[in-house]
Amino acid sequence: MPAPRIKPDSVAEASSGASAFSMGRHFMYACGKPHIPVGAHVVPPSGPDWPWREGPEAFDRAFAQMAEHGLTSARIDLLWAAVEPERGRLDEAHLAVLDRVFDAARAHGITLHPALFVGGEVGDAYWDLPWASGVNPHTDPELVKLQAAHAAQLARRWASRPELIAWDLTDEPPFWIYGETTDDEHAVEWTAALTQAIRANHPGCLVTIGTASQEVDGGPFRADVVADALDFACVHPYPIYSPELYADRLGSRRMSMAGAFETALARGAGKSVMVHEFGASSTQFAPEAIADYDRLVCWSSLGAGAIGFYAWCWIDAEPAAYRRAPYVRMPHETQFGLLDAEGKARPRASVQSELARVTGALDLEGLAGDGPWTPASIPVPHEYVKPYDRASYGLDDAPSGPYVPAEKAWEPARDVKPLVRGWLNSYVFASRAGLPCQFPREKLDDSWPATPIALLPAPLTSTTSSLLHMRTSFWQGALDYVEAGGVLYLSCSAETAIPELAEFAGVRIADRAVATDRLELTAVEPFAGLEAGDVVSVELPAAARVGGAANNLHLRGVELDVVDARTVATDAAGLPALTVARRGRGAVVVCAYPIELLAAEIADAHGDADGLWRVYRLVRDLAGIEPPVDLDSPQLARGVLRGPRGGILVATNHGREDVSVPVKTSESSRAAEAVRTIEVVHTAAAVPVEIPDGRPVEAGETVHVPSGGAAIIAWTC
């Protein structure tokens, strides 16, 4: 059954100048129904600078092929230099060509998502603006005004186009050759000017920005800075380009969860998030491996709350283009296509087709309209959201001196990566433990997350660099959070400093731990599937041993003195390494080692045999948290979407082995009674599984999830 398509006539009836697409509580809506666009970014085979080489025919061919493959949407670039070859003058001849591109999309039932002001596209290519070369488009007031006028003209021209699904202000800002001179304030002002211009001329339209790595790089266009002006946010997860975060094989658990992680992190800024680009090059990875990677990225991201998927890109570059920039300088960019240059489908094309078909048939409103269920919070420091915010200094409510933070001078170019490493590896550990996570932003009133579990991995517990940790006053609410029933987890490094630690956690820091090449946790009592005496160990790689824990306090653990906590595991020296303290109706789990930051140092960490995830399972077990329906296996990442009529479990197998797992319903009587029906909606795999879609199952029945595959299970209440 093909994916349901947006019918041009029905969209046109709803349009009449206003967009037929809108945002609901979580998903995008098309003509009043939830809609997940699934498609690809279309770059003609001749290259991204196609306006100087060919007409709209390449797009017509692409849209026809996309429709044949069951895809529903295409993202295209509008190259600024082609649209506006002279200051203030839009080229009518080129606009007429773009009109025909819109016509072709509509003729084939494909929605169109145009990206303005490109700009940087493919490899190192920046398609410069001859009449404003050397001028930063984000910071120059006159150029910002010209961009607003440019956007307004295009909005007026295409406002009545029913196939226009959403405007993309530009691809991967800040503009590539001006990244170092663009800051948060510039990003806010630029985004506001363009969104206002578009909305004034295309009422009710949707607007976003196709951002890449802004969350994980701490860039000026991260969702915390620009999302308020947008209808939805975007991520372009490319872990292959971030070895400092993902020193892994393509199919590894951490690498293939990059989309889910970035979706969840950006979503914490308050808007729904689309996975706007993703992929890998067939010059560097086997096409079959890329298909498995895509499958895991897409389905795990859906479970984390993603609302749309555009693969990079539709078709490979043709061999004739290899002699031209950017391909002559960046050979890997030639083969990202769902199709090869001759139009033959690569394995990843079927992944997108399957995704479009299955999501198009889901009851999104009834089973997923409320978005993801996330019982655990990993907080985001206010300093990351709004650096050097005077309101965060606590000096405005009483007389104070003229404070200026010297940290600006000590660390003028602050590195966000230690924070991201902690978040990322905490997120992966939690996923293995069956704890879907959200990333709430720290509030200046020091209120704690509303979730029953709070995860605070190092460096959130640290001191020195304010970018990396929670505000000191935040910890004053820890005891209240736990006594009210919350379960708090925190990991310590030799940089950790928490004034109230002994009061709420039952331990205090006595000293730095002895520097070691190997981390061992020996269970003192049973927990998370371990028996007393079982050992979980991690050996650090040589590079980390040489320049890691001995010299970097963020990678070194602490020696704990137990006040009134219970020791659950000890380290190699027999000292407390994992403790639990009961407080009121809740509990606090303390790990004496920064296991998340240590995992970040290990290539291909989080393998099937790695056992550190059990620390997080202890947290889940203490909280008694479980979804109404589960496939409970550490090999599976589980995302849960909820709606008024039930929910959807998305279980993705990031391990190397197939698994067969019994369906489990919550032991909570209230949750178990609420589940009326369960069915396996679909099993996504490289080799089709001989199990019919929509198969009813009962609790206890086994579901097979192949390595690199996903199981989508729906239940009704």
Side-chain angles (χ1 to χ4, degrees):
M1 179 176 129
R5 313 193 71 72
I6 304 300
K7 297 178 181 178
D9 292 341
S10 64
V11 175
E13 289 173 6
S15 225
S16 65
S19 177
F21 298 94
S22 60
M23 290 303 300
R25 304 189 307 283
H26 176 62
F27 291 109
M28 179 184 292
Y29 279 64
C31 300
K33 296 181 180 179
H35 174 63
I36 296 178
V38 179
H41 195 125
V42 177
V43 175
S46 66
D49 55 335
W50 66 271
W52 290 272
R53 193 174 299 110
E54 60 183 282
E57 295 79 15
F59 291 94
D60 184 69
R61 290 191 296 272
F63 298 156
Q65 292 169 315
M66 293 175 81
E68 290 173 1
H69 283 270
L71 305 189
T72 62
S73 194
R75 184 168 173 253
I76 65 167
D77 300 318
L78 306 189
L79 272 73
W80 192 357
V83 177
E84 190 174 359
E86 299 174 4
R87 181 184 295 268
R89 182 185 70 82
L90 273 58
D91 187 285
E92 183 57 37
H94 184 56
L95 292 179
V97 170
L98 293 172
D99 288 341
R100 292 175 60 192
V101 173
F102 273 84
D103 292 341
R106 185 178 182 185
H108 295 293
I110 298 292
T111 59
L112 208 58
H113 185 25
L116 309 181
F117 304 110
V118 177
E121 189 65 288
V122 183
D124 74 338
Y126 183 79
W127 308 102
D128 204 5
L129 203 60
W131 50 267
S133 185
V135 181
N136 186 339
H138 297 307
T139 64
D140 183 78
E142 290 305 314
L143 201 48
V144 171
K145 290 179 183 177
L146 284 170
Q147 289 171 88
H150 175 126
Q153 290 186 61
L154 297 184
R156 284 195 297 272
R157 186 182 189 100
W158 294 322
S160 62
R161 286 284 187 169
E163 60 273 10
L164 199 161
I165 191 169
W167 295 93
D168 180 354
L169 297 186
T170 198
D171 181 63
E172 299 188 349
F175 288 102
W176 291 0
I177 59 176
Y178 302 110
E180 294 300 317
T181 57
T182 303
D183 61 23
D184 292 7
E185 185 176 340
H186 295 136
V188 169
E189 293 173 353
W190 181 88
T191 302
L194 269 62
T195 54
Q196 290 167 14
I198 290 174
R199 289 178 175 135
N201 292 276
H202 188 179
C205 67
L206 300 180
V207 183
T208 191
I209 308 178
T211 55
S213 302
Q214 292 296 285
E215 272 64 49
V216 297
D217 287 348
F221 281 87
R222 63 194 184 279
D224 287 289
V225 178
V226 299
D228 283 350
L230 306 175
D231 294 288
F232 58 91
C234 295
V235 294
H236 292 187
Y238 283 118
I240 56 175
Y241 297 142
S242 297
E244 72 282 5
L245 298 175
Y246 303 92
D248 306 327
R249 293 167 55 87
L250 185 66
S252 72
R253 179 172 278 104
R254 183 165 52 195
M255 183 83 86
S256 56
M257 290 196 68
F261 167 66
E262 290 195 32
T263 295
L265 180 56
R267 192 173 180 274
K271 293 293 175 70
S272 294
V273 177
M274 188 174 287
V275 178
H276 214 229
E277 278 190 27
F278 60 93
S281 172
S282 296
T283 65
Q284 297 180 300
F285 304 97
E288 296 79 11
I290 296 173
D292 284 349
Y293 167 78
D294 282 2
R295 187 180 305 106
L296 292 170
V297 166
C298 289
W299 285 110
S300 64
S301 297
L302 178 70
I307 64 166
F309 303 88
Y310 289 89
W312 178 269
C313 58
W314 174 244
I315 192 167
D316 286 354
E318 62 191 18
Y322 293 4
R323 298 182 63 84
R324 297 190 296 268
Y327 302 119
V328 71
R329 296 168 59 83
M330 300 278 174
H332 76 287
E333 292 283 3
T334 60
Q335 294 184 10
F336 270 80
L338 274 67
L339 308 186
D340 66 20
E342 296 179 353
K344 181 181 178 182
R346 295 188 184 278
R348 66 187 302 233
S350 64
V351 174
Q352 285 295 92
S353 298
E354 180 182 46
L355 181 68
R357 176 179 62 82
V358 176
T359 58
L362 291 171
D363 176 10
L364 296 175
E365 175 64 37
L367 302 181
D370 296 334
W373 172 77
T374 49
S377 290
I378 306 174
V380 173
H382 181 76
E383 191 74 11
Y384 169 92
V385 176
K386 194 172 182 180
Y388 298 111
D389 177 17
R390 180 171 175 80
S392 71
Y393 300 160
L395 300 177
D396 294 338
D397 296 334
S400 63
Y403 170 80
V404 174
E407 191 175 345
K408 283 186 177 182
W410 296 345
E411 196 178 2
R414 296 198 290 184
D415 183 10
V416 74
K417 292 301 171 68
L419 178 60
V420 177
R421 291 187 192 104
W423 284 336
L424 169 61
N425 289 278
S426 180
Y427 187 83
V428 177
F429 281 139
S431 77
R432 297 198 71 183
L435 278 178
C437 294
Q438 60 178 272
F439 288 88
R441 274 45 179 173
E442 181 182 20
K443 294 180 173 59
L444 295 186
D445 65 1
D446 296 319
S447 59
W448 273 62
T451 55
I453 295 173
L455 304 173
L456 284 108
L460 291 177
T461 60
S462 67
T463 186
T464 309
S465 175
S466 63
L467 176 63
L468 306 181
H469 62 77
M470 308 302 287
R471 300 165 72 245
T472 309
S473 54
F474 171 80
W475 298 107
Q476 293 175 338
L479 185 60
D480 288 344
Y481 173 80
V482 175
E483 287 184 334
V487 174
L488 166 61
Y489 163 81
L490 53 91
S491 64
C492 299
S493 74
E495 272 280 323
T496 292
I498 301 173
E500 296 86 0
L501 184 63
E503 179 185 6
F504 69 78
V507 294
R508 62 171 174 256
I509 295 173
D511 202 343
R512 296 169 181 172
V514 175
T516 179
D517 296 343
R518 182 181 181 85
L519 171 63
E520 287 188 1
L521 300 180
T522 301
V524 174
E525 61 181 53
F527 74 93
L530 296 177
E531 297 296 329
D534 287 348
V535 178
V536 173
S537 63
V538 175
E539 186 168 348
L540 296 179
R545 293 200 298 268
V546 172
N551 303 316
N552 185 345
L553 295 182
H554 283 293
L555 298 179
R556 192 168 178 174
V558 299
E559 182 180 316
L560 293 176
D561 277 346
V562 173
V563 179
D564 64 350
R566 187 175 85 251
T567 299
V568 175
T570 57
D571 63 13
L575 299 174
L578 191 65
T579 64
V580 175
R582 290 285 186 178
R583 295 290 187 267
R585 295 188 289 114
V588 181
V589 177
V590 177
C591 183
Y593 291 86
I595 58 174
E596 300 80 11
L597 296 178
L598 291 173
E601 297 293 313
I602 302 171
D604 301 315
H606 306 285
D608 293 358
D610 292 350
L612 288 177
W613 65 271
R614 296 178 187 276
V615 173
Y616 279 64
R617 185 54 186 246
L618 170 63
V619 174
R620 173 179 150 163
D621 291 345
L622 286 169
I625 294 296
E626 51 189 5
V629 175
D630 197 7
L631 294 178
D632 194 3
S633 166
Q635 301 303 90
L636 303 178
R638 283 97 79 197
V640 178
L641 301 170
R642 296 302 308 266
R645 293 189 287 275
I648 296 172
L649 171 72
V650 183
T652 45
N653 185 353
H654 301 258
R656 293 199 170 197
E657 303 293 334
D658 296 359
V659 295
S660 294
V661 185
V663 175
K664 181 181 180 182
T665 55
S666 172
E667 294 181 3
S668 162
S669 59
R670 180 179 176 184
E673 290 169 2
V675 176
R676 291 175 48 243
T677 65
I678 308 172
E679 71 173 39
V680 180
V681 174
H682 184 70
T683 301
V687 178
V689 177
E690 295 182 3
I691 299 174
D693 286 0
R695 175 174 66 97
V697 292
E698 299 287 339
E701 287 190 52
T702 296
V703 173
H704 184 71
V705 189
S707 173
I712 299 88
I713 296 177
W715 73 89
T716 60
C717 297

